[in-house]
Amino acid sequence: MSYLAASQLVGGYGGANILHECSLFADCGKISVIVGPNGAGKSTAMKAIFGLVRLSSGSVSLAGNDITGLSPQARVRCGMAIVPQVENVFPSLTVHENLEMGAFLRQDPIAETLQEVYELFPALAEMRTKEAGDLSGGQRQQLAFGRALMTRPTALLLDEPTAGVSPIVITSLFDMILEVAERNIAVLMCEQNASQALAIADTGFVLVQGTNRYTDSGPALLANPEVRRSFLGG
Amino acid sequence: MEAINALVLLGNYVIVPGIAYGSQLALAALGVSLIYGILRFSNFAHGDTMAFGAMVAVLLTSLAQSLGISIAPFPTAMLTLPFAIAGTVLLVIAFDFAVYRHFRSIRSSPVVFVIASTGVMFVMQGLIRFIVGPRDRDLGDGARFVVNAREFKAALGLEQGLSIKVSQSLTLGITIIAVLLLFWFLHRTRTGKAMRAFSDNEDLARLSGINPQTVVILAWTLSAALAATAGILYGLDKTFKPIIYFQLLLPTFAAAIVGGLGNPIGALAGGFVVAFSEICITYAFKRFLAYLLPENLEPTGLVQLLSTEYKFAISFFILVVVLLIRPTGIFAGRSS
């Protein structure tokens, strides 16, 4: 079984279900990518795995332990972290304070992790004392990323990390995601930039109307003519 | 000499009272702003929270006086300040458990909280009148003046005297200390940063493991402590009368909104903007101008823009102008 595994998720935000028996997984040191058309339930699936969506059935497990009933905060304690798509920083706090707040749950010294995050995102080190609200789109995304890493998670969920940033920055963000995965973290992300994301994916999920349509390695999905035609625009 | 007399006159009637009143409003507005930042509603019970704090001080002061305890030359009310703060904090937290917690658990919209706080306001008003009645109470004892007008005149040989009351200097001193402590707490401590983070982005704060209940209780505690302090200082400076604190609600909100709701620095500045507007616009500048202008230009009227009865209209006016021109306040707080 995979390190982070969600099986047969059914649920939504009250009212009609958005997820219909959707199954996803991610392994340590590997990148899993969820792609699919708008409204396929990509973000909902991410939120469901983090406990932010009410599930009517299905289960989520982390390192073999069932965590389906845990609150999002409890999941953070278990080693999960999420980077929401929007409003993912504290705008009136400085960059440094944002990172400190990311480590709020930790009781041990955080200096070392701070150093690591600043090394991973040198742009943030320069902006240490700036308010997060004054950062550019790409810098803010890096900060959101860094904030999530402050708890030293073993599983990282990224909800459309490249939404609203420029194409050049997108490429460098993908590089950083690869670098994060190299630290033996299980990365699960959903992405609008499907072809670019699948290129770095160890596992790719194509989600349609809340259910799995294709599951394969990233390059295999990219090579699949049907996937190309229907979801990657040719 | 004329110019110095004019300045002393202005200092005595505008600047000194303005600084004291501005400090009191700033403390009150800081409390309103904190609650708005964390709980996201305008707490209409804040005026009467101030009254409650002052009432505890009134009661304890008479108790202390009857026991012969005094810290002269300082007013006895200063001795009761910690107890008044503690009492007010307890009351406010009790109201949070009895009222607001329910509305948080059912995720009510901010307007429901505002109406609930209006209800809390009426309950507090009733409680205060039940305990001490609606009459004026004198809160001040000990020495009255730091600088006495008569002695000032005699010492400097001026026509005009400057008087600075003990309550006014205490107001300024305590406001400075309170504000420094508050900002140190919000910017230097882990818990303070967590409060700011919660105010910024509640969902992300929860995801970071910040406990909402702790933050809410802390916000009430700080707000009640500021309210009690402001209430006692105002009562020392003027007089303790329950209805006055209800009337202070308008300038307090004007101050908080002018500076930008949810922004502590804004609330601080807003307090002084409102206080000085109120005092300058209702002050009769006749004698001041008489010193500065040549005799033939001396004004015949009072040169008073508005009579003092209209001072509440000034807060309203500032409020309307700010909301029209810069809805998020001078220091860009959050809009509601």
Side-chain angles (χ1 to χ4, degrees):
Chain A
M1 189 139 116
S2 293
Y3 184 73
L4 174 67
S7 63
Q8 309 291 315
L9 300 180
V10 179
Y13 308 97
N17 282 339
I18 294 171
L19 302 174
H20 304 282
E21 305 202 332
C22 155
S23 297
L24 304 160
F25 58 84
D27 289 298
C28 290
K30 299 276 163 59
I31 298 174
S32 295
V33 175
I34 313 171
V35 297
N38 284 331
K42 304 187 293 287
S43 284
T44 311
M46 304 281 294
K47 287 181 185 149
I49 293 174
F50 212 79
L52 295 163
V53 171
R54 204 173 295 248
L55 290 177
S56 52
S57 74
S59 66
V60 184
S61 74
L62 184 75
N65 303 314
D66 185 36
I67 58 165
T68 318
L70 294 186
S71 70
Q73 288 92 327
R75 288 174 209 232
V76 173
R77 281 204 183 83
C78 291
M80 286 175 77
I82 189 168
V83 179
Q85 183 182 345
V86 288
E87 294 183 357
N88 47 22
V89 296
F90 301 112
S92 80
L93 269 61
T94 64
V95 166
H96 195 80
E97 287 170 337
N98 263 277
L99 295 177
E100 282 179 342
M101 285 302 108
F104 189 80
L105 280 175
R106 283 178 54 181
Q107 299 297 327
D108 52 326
I110 60 167
E112 205 178 305
T113 320
L114 267 172
Q115 201 51 46
E116 276 175 35
V117 169
Y118 282 137
E119 272 165 27
L120 189 59
F121 307 108
L124 294 184
E126 289 165 29
M127 303 273 181
R128 219 177 274 247
T129 56
K130 257 202 164 171
E131 283 184 15
D134 295 338
L135 300 181
S136 72
Q139 288 164 344
R140 189 158 61 235
Q141 218 58 28
Q142 292 182 33
L143 177 58
F145 215 152
R147 191 205 64 83
L149 290 175
M150 286 305 294
T151 47
R152 285 184 302 193
T154 48
L156 182 63
L157 272 57
L158 306 167
D159 192 352
E160 305 216 357
T162 65
V165 299
S166 68
I168 302 169
V169 179
I170 289 180
T171 313
S172 70
L173 276 176
F174 277 134
D175 287 342
M176 287 164 190
I177 293 168
L178 279 168
E179 221 172 301
V180 168
E182 271 170 29
R183 300 171 182 215
N184 207 29
I185 294 174
V187 177
L188 177 66
M189 59 188 257
C190 64
E191 247 315 313
Q192 288 282 354
N193 295 296
S195 32
Q196 241 178 316
L198 286 176
I200 63 164
D202 296 289
T203 314
F205 304 94
V206 180
L207 232 57
V208 180
Q209 294 191 336
T211 192
N212 298 63
R213 178 68 62 87
Y214 301 97
T215 304
D216 210 333
S217 76
L221 284 176
L222 276 175
N224 184 328
E226 238 174 286
V227 174
R228 290 195 72 88
R229 197 169 51 246
S230 312
F231 305 108
L232 304 176
Chain B
M1 210 58 191
E2 297 279 271
I4 295 176
N5 269 317
L7 268 180
V8 171
L9 184 70
L10 202 65
N12 195 27
Y13 289 99
V14 175
I15 297 170
V16 172
I19 289 174
Y21 182 41
S23 307
Q24 291 148 9
L25 277 187
L27 285 180
L30 273 172
V32 164
S33 214
L34 265 171
I35 293 299
Y36 188 86
I38 301 291
L39 289 116
R40 299 177 219 282
F41 74 92
S42 302
N43 179 17
F44 281 1
H46 198 76
D48 288 286
T49 310
M50 288 160 66
F52 187 86
M55 181 200 74
V56 176
V58 165
L59 294 177
L60 290 178
T61 300
S62 16
L63 179 71
Q65 282 166 345
S66 69
L67 292 174
I69 302 168
S70 133
I71 45 165
F74 296 107
T76 316
M78 283 300 106
L79 193 65
T80 68
L81 182 67
F83 302 99
I85 288 178
T88 313
V89 167
L90 286 179
L91 177 84
V92 162
I93 290 178
F95 271 113
D96 182 66
F97 271 72
V99 180
Y100 302 114
R101 196 174 56 155
H102 166 69
F103 293 108
R104 275 201 303 280
S105 70
I106 60 170
R107 295 182 166 268
S108 299
S109 64
V111 69
V112 174
F113 281 92
V114 173
I115 302 291
S117 80
T118 313
V120 169
M121 175 186 89
F122 285 126
V123 174
M124 279 188 181
Q125 284 182 357
L127 191 68
I128 291 162
R129 278 159 186 68
F130 183 73
I131 299 174
V132 288
R135 285 182 305 112
D136 270 35
R137 297 272 189 141
D138 195 14
L139 196 54
D141 56 1
R144 283 215 87 66
F145 293 102
V146 179
V147 179
N148 184 300
R150 201 160 1 99
E151 289 164 10
F152 183 87
K153 264 193 276 190
L156 288 157
L158 289 170
E159 264 176 56
Q160 291 300 326
L162 179 74
S163 72
I164 300 175
K165 290 195 279 183
V166 170
S167 61
Q168 289 167 330
S169 42
L170 271 178
T171 295
L172 185 62
I174 289 180
T175 304
I176 292 172
I177 294 170
V179 167
L180 287 179
L181 274 176
L182 180 71
F183 280 80
W184 171 81
F185 172 75
L186 289 177
H187 289 268
R188 289 283 174 272
T189 67
R190 203 171 97 99
T191 321
K193 287 177 194 174
M195 277 187 84
R196 282 164 56 221
F198 189 89
S199 164
D200 254 14
N201 188 337
E202 188 178 331
D203 292 331
L204 195 63
R206 284 167 185 267
L207 283 180
S208 305
I210 294 168
N211 184 350
Q213 197 56 33
T214 316
V215 172
V216 165
I217 295 292
L218 257 173
W220 280 120
T221 304
L222 290 176
S223 156
L226 289 165
T229 310
I232 292 171
L233 291 174
Y234 189 84
L236 272 177
D237 196 15
K238 309 277 165 44
T239 171
F240 171 80
K241 193 180 185 189
I243 190 75
I244 292 213
Y245 292 95
F246 169 67
Q247 290 167 346
L248 269 182
L249 202 55
L250 183 62
T252 300
F253 268 92
I257 292 169
V258 164
L261 267 173
N263 180 334
I265 294 177
L268 202 55
F272 288 97
V273 168
V274 171
F276 275 101
S277 315
E278 226 177 70
I279 289 173
C280 286
I281 291 174
T282 56
Y283 177 66
F285 283 91
K286 179 178 196 261
R287 281 197 294 160
F288 173 72
L289 292 176
Y291 278 118
L292 293 182
L293 296 175
E295 246 165 78
N296 51 354
L297 283 176
E298 223 166 89
T300 49
L302 281 172
V303 204
Q304 185 181 19
L305 287 169
L306 274 178
S307 79
T308 43
E309 286 83 15
Y310 287 108
K311 66 175 183 188
F312 293 115
I314 296 162
S315 308
F316 257 126
F317 181 74
I318 296 174
L319 209 54
V320 170
V321 170
V322 168
L323 288 177
L324 279 177
I325 297 172
R326 231 186 128 87
T328 55
I330 305 172
F331 292 88
R334 58 176 81 245
S335 57
S336 51

